Amino acid sequence: MKQNPIDISHESVKTVITYGTFDMFHIGHLNLLKRLSERGDRLIVGVSTDEFNLLKGKKTLIPYDQRAKIVEAIDCVDLVIPENDWEQKVRDVQEYNVVTFAIGEDWKGEFDFLQEHCEVLYLERTKDISTTDLKRSLKRFLSIPHEDLIKAFEVLELLRRDLE
């Protein structure tokens, strides 16, 4: 919990909420959270649990506890909650007196049902960065045969020596 928690029971507090997996935390995640924090007085982040990600067909590289701690450590985040299922969004919006629900534009239209409870925003993603792209790159790298990697590093070592 942050040092000066805001009393969410007070109706004048503008609470913003978002959800995500936040696996392989990157600048796009940080940009989203900073932009969301500027839209209200309090930012709540629902981090998808490992179990929920499996139900969504996602495999995370970083376990939930670590992902939640990373997000919680960000100054603009006031509260991190576990995201356990799709249905909890309405409950969370009501429980935390949420004024704005926001998420990346890749989800456009998926959460319009929340409009009867709060403002719904779909924000533009940070250009040229996504966890999916990072995972694809990593998978391509890991598919390179071991012998080819050894040869590549030998060539890099020779180049380094030539540049000294």
Side-chain angles (χ1 to χ4, degrees):
M1 186 62 71
K2 302 297 179 186
Q3 286 184 343
N4 297 316
I6 297 169
D7 179 9
I8 63 168
S9 63
H10 197 275
E11 295 206 11
S12 67
V13 173
K14 185 172 181 186
T15 300
V16 178
I17 195 166
T18 192
Y19 297 84
T21 299
F22 300 99
D23 199 21
M24 298 180 70
F25 197 90
H26 54 71
I27 194 66
H29 293 135
L30 185 60
N31 288 344
L32 174 69
L33 296 176
K34 282 184 173 182
R35 286 170 45 209
L36 293 179
S37 73
E38 294 167 358
R39 295 188 153 278
D41 303 310
R42 178 178 172 85
L43 176 59
I44 299 174
V45 180
V47 176
S48 303
T49 62
D50 297 333
E51 296 78 15
F52 184 44
N53 277 317
L54 286 175
L55 290 175
K56 294 188 285 184
K58 283 182 159 185
K59 174 90 172 90
T60 58
L61 297 176
I62 300 170
Y64 167 78
D65 288 342
Q66 292 177 27
R67 291 183 286 112
K69 283 180 184 172
I70 290 167
V71 174
E72 187 176 55
I74 298 166
D75 289 340
C76 63
V77 174
D78 296 294
L79 178 65
V80 171
I81 60 173
E83 181 187 26
N84 297 301
D85 57 63
W86 294 111
E87 294 78 24
Q88 86 177 66
K89 288 176 181 61
V90 172
R91 292 189 311 267
D92 291 344
V93 165
Q94 293 170 340
E95 178 181 342
Y96 296 107
N97 299 316
V98 170
V99 174
T100 303
F101 166 89
I103 201 157
E105 68 185 347
D106 51 324
W107 288 97
K108 192 159 187 87
E110 294 295 319
F111 299 105
D112 289 351
F113 66 91
L114 290 172
Q115 289 176 342
E116 66 184 77
H117 304 283
C118 63
E119 174 187 29
V120 176
L121 295 175
Y122 299 99
L123 299 176
E124 187 176 324
R125 297 175 64 97
T126 301
K127 189 174 168 43
D128 298 327
I129 185 78
S130 80
T131 303
T132 302
D133 290 345
L134 289 172
K135 285 181 177 180
R136 280 189 196 125
S137 295
L138 184 58
K139 188 174 183 176
R140 280 193 303 272
F141 177 77
L142 292 174
S143 69
I144 298 171
H146 185 259
E147 299 77 28
D148 291 348
L149 286 173
I150 299 281
K151 288 177 190 170
F153 282 113
E154 288 171 354
V155 168
L156 287 172
E157 177 61 22
L158 291 172
L159 288 172
R160 185 187 66 76
R161 287 181 193 161
D162 286 347
L163 294 173
E164 288 181 340

